[in-house]
Amino acid sequence: MQRLCLHGNKPLHGEFNVSGSKNAALPILAATILLPGMTKIRNIPNLLDIITIIRVLRALGLRAEYSLSEPNTVTVWNQQVRHVAPYELVTKMRASFFVIGPILAVKGLAKIPLPGGCAIGSRPVDIHIKGMEGLGAKVHLEHGFVIAEAKKLKGNSILLDFPSVGATESVMMAATLAEGETIIENAAKEPEIVDLANFLIKAGAKIEGAGTEKIRISGVTRLSAVEYSIIPDRIEAGTAIAAAAITRGHVLVKGLKLAHLDAIIKKFQESGVKLNLTDNSVEVLAENGFQAVDIKTMPYPGFPTDMQPQLAAFLTLAKGTSVVSETIFENRFMHMHELKRLGADIKLEGQSAIINGVAKLSGAPVKVSDLRAGAALLVAGLAAEGETLLEDRDHHIGRGYENIIDKFAALGADICRVKPDVQTVN
Ligand code: UD1
């Protein structure tokens, strides 16, 4: 259990350095299963989800650890791979399931627990499974495990029912070592897919079209260990912009990739927040008020579902009425109930939230239900008058944000941990 205490309603000032992308790092670490030898990956954020995937790799027989001498660097030594992923870790973090593709490609057999339910929706893995079947694997369910078998995967044309990020990644990883050519149609186009493809290409894979809806992969017989650096975290960058804007602060958010933040930037601009942009930074100058805007979450390049809660928090203080529609996950509005506890005026209608901007938020105890809900409550708490106590029972915020408390405190936020939160991997 972690508790954070905030005394809000203070403009943030200063510089915010964006960490490496969690959602790029997770599949890239999973992909090291495909690479015999020693792989070194830089710009890995130090956070709980990364620790979980490192534990998955270790359980699979690889050696993986954060470097003691180089910050944010993880080294993986891959000499042998086991085919069974541990129940406790896969059920703890859905992205652990993404190891199914690389394990199957390397071992011809993968036994991975079903990830199970999660706070923001049911999140099945049927598209991953169909992808493995498309590559010639026989897949069945037994005692809660997905068991996939194929002596040798065979390239094929695979049309995804939905541009699932994880399924695109599973199939892309598996197809790198398949016989012949694989074409993934209706592929996800997120920057994290491109980063994974670039990593695999550096390791010797033949991949074209990542970042478009059609990815072509020509199977090779082996991949080799490499050194690689992860892209910046666009969601962390967006969260920092939201925090600066809602507190009417002046913050330079640095070390991001502007091209990845297009949809997010447009919404802040539409709401009247002044932003000075360069290719790798956003200066937020938010002394004045801001207007309501509507958002609808969509696969990339649309507005990311992972920024919906933080933007909703920001819009609670906008002038006018905003409509926030969630199309990716069926149950991603839990933060709305907690935002109401802070004084927000929000009505839920199916998959939409109607937010009538209020003049102020007032601090209250709130509960964190999932990672981005936690980020939204943090953003709102920074703007709320008085004390906000965030109860983060399952350490959701630490799952996805590196040093976020220290980073916001360095911008002048009055924020502290009520109970220490110490976890290390080494
Ligand atoms: C990834 C991100 C997550 C983000 C999500 C959507 C990582 C580690 N996580 O999750 O932060 O919120 O993309 O941008 O990168 N679906 C199915 N069947 C499947 C797979 C997905 O029905 O086999 C559904 C999901 O339930 C969800 C939608 O498709 O409603 C999108 O899921 P997906 O793109 O797969 O998300 P993840 O890869 O799990």
Side-chain angles (χ1 to χ4, degrees):
M1 154 84 93
Q2 173 167 261
R3 274 209 202 92
L4 303 178
C5 181
L6 290 108
H7 293 94
N9 200 21
K10 295 182 179 69
L12 299 185
H13 284 280
E15 294 187 355
F16 182 102
N17 287 305
V18 177
S19 297
S21 161
K22 166 181 88 73
N23 285 353
L26 289 172
I28 286 176
L29 283 165
T32 61
I33 292 168
L34 297 162
L35 276 50
M38 187 186 91
T39 292
K40 201 180 229 190
I41 308 168
R42 299 198 165 83
N43 205 27
I44 301 247
N46 196 339
L47 38 82
L48 293 178
D49 274 6
I50 298 293
I51 291 171
T52 302
I53 195 77
I54 286 177
R55 290 195 173 133
V56 172
L57 293 177
R58 289 176 181 175
L60 291 169
L62 286 77
R63 210 177 121 204
E65 53 200 44
Y66 273 106
S67 163
L68 292 177
S69 52
E70 293 176 75
N72 295 104
T73 301
V74 170
T75 307
V76 181
W77 292 263
N78 174 358
Q79 284 176 326
Q80 51 151 1
V81 181
R82 286 195 280 271
H83 70 276
V84 187
Y87 171 81
E88 314 74 50
L89 296 175
V90 179
T91 48
K92 191 168 170 182
M93 181 184 72
R94 175 181 164 83
S96 314
F97 188 83
F98 304 175
V99 296
I100 190 167
I103 296 180
L104 183 59
V106 168
K107 301 293 289 179
L109 174 64
K111 192 173 168 190
I112 319 290
L114 272 174
C118 104
I120 60 172
S122 62
R123 301 181 86 176
V125 287
D126 54 320
I127 308 175
H128 296 248
I129 291 174
K130 277 193 203 163
M132 297 305 118
E133 287 172 337
L135 295 175
K138 296 246 175 307
V139 185
H140 69 282
L141 276 177
E142 206 175 275
H143 305 302
F145 279 78
V146 175
I147 299 173
E149 292 174 72
K151 275 212 175 65
K152 181 75 194 157
L153 293 173
K154 295 213 162 46
N156 199 353
S157 181
I158 292 170
L159 172 64
L160 303 183
D161 292 340
F162 178 85
S164 152
V165 174
T168 303
E169 291 166 345
S170 296
V171 176
M172 188 160 78
M173 288 189 271
T176 55
L177 294 181
E179 222 170 72
E181 187 178 70
T182 298
I183 297 174
I184 310 176
E185 306 220 47
N186 199 25
K189 295 184 267 199
E190 271 68 2
E192 294 76 21
I193 304 279
V194 178
D195 209 32
L196 173 62
N198 287 339
F199 171 76
L200 291 167
I201 290 167
K202 199 166 182 201
K206 295 205 158 45
I207 303 174
E208 283 170 15
T212 75
E213 60 196 23
K214 190 184 224 176
I215 305 179
R216 256 175 217 281
I217 305 138
S218 299
V220 294
T221 49
R222 56 170 279 132
L223 299 176
S224 318
V226 285
E227 294 198 8
Y228 193 76
S229 187
I230 301 285
I231 54 170
D233 195 311
R234 62 195 169 103
I235 305 301
E236 188 202 13
T239 306
I241 296 169
I246 196 174
T247 61
R248 307 205 177 174
H250 180 185
V251 175
L252 182 66
V253 184
K254 285 166 48 183
L256 49 77
K257 204 153 183 214
L258 189 66
H260 295 168
L261 283 149
D262 232 20
I264 298 172
I265 296 290
K266 286 209 172 86
K267 285 299 161 184
F268 283 110
Q269 285 176 327
E270 207 182 311
S271 78
V273 177
K274 187 163 178 244
L275 302 177
N276 287 333
L277 310 175
T278 73
D279 286 349
N280 51 25
S281 71
V282 173
E283 183 184 10
V284 185
L285 294 137
E287 278 88 3
N288 301 319
F290 43 89
Q291 311 295 323
V293 292
D294 294 342
I295 60 165
K296 186 175 190 178
T297 62
M298 299 290 275
Y300 192 85
F303 191 88
T305 175
D306 285 354
M307 261 306 289
Q308 176 263 105
Q310 303 88 308
L311 206 87
F314 163 76
L315 292 172
T316 61
L317 288 180
K319 279 192 204 80
T321 301
S322 308
V323 179
V324 172
S325 305
E326 174 59 54
T327 74
I328 308 291
F329 293 111
E330 73 271 24
N331 191 21
R332 200 170 208 178
F333 277 161
M334 260 105 72
H335 50 285
M336 300 292 185
H337 304 290
E338 299 300 296
L339 288 172
K340 286 203 242 180
R341 293 181 46 73
L342 298 176
D345 177 354
I346 303 174
K347 283 186 196 64
L348 296 182
E349 285 183 9
Q351 290 298 90
S352 295
I354 292 121
I355 304 176
N356 288 307
V358 291
K360 62 172 190 145
L361 297 175
S362 62
V366 284
K367 287 198 169 111
V368 173
S369 55
D370 60 84
L371 166 56
R372 305 303 171 184
L377 294 171
L378 208 46
V379 166
L382 289 170
E385 286 177 5
E387 183 176 278
T388 297
L389 199 62
L390 253 83
E391 186 180 311
D392 188 1
R393 189 168 285 277
D394 295 319
H395 289 265
H396 287 295
I397 296 173
R399 280 188 42 215
Y401 288 91
E402 180 177 56
N403 290 336
I404 195 69
I405 296 155
D406 299 337
K407 285 185 179 185
F408 280 148
L411 298 177
D414 184 344
I415 177 172
C416 66
R417 296 172 184 84
V418 177
K419 204 175 157 194
D421 169 34
V422 181
Q423 293 234 6
T424 57
V425 71
N426 287 303

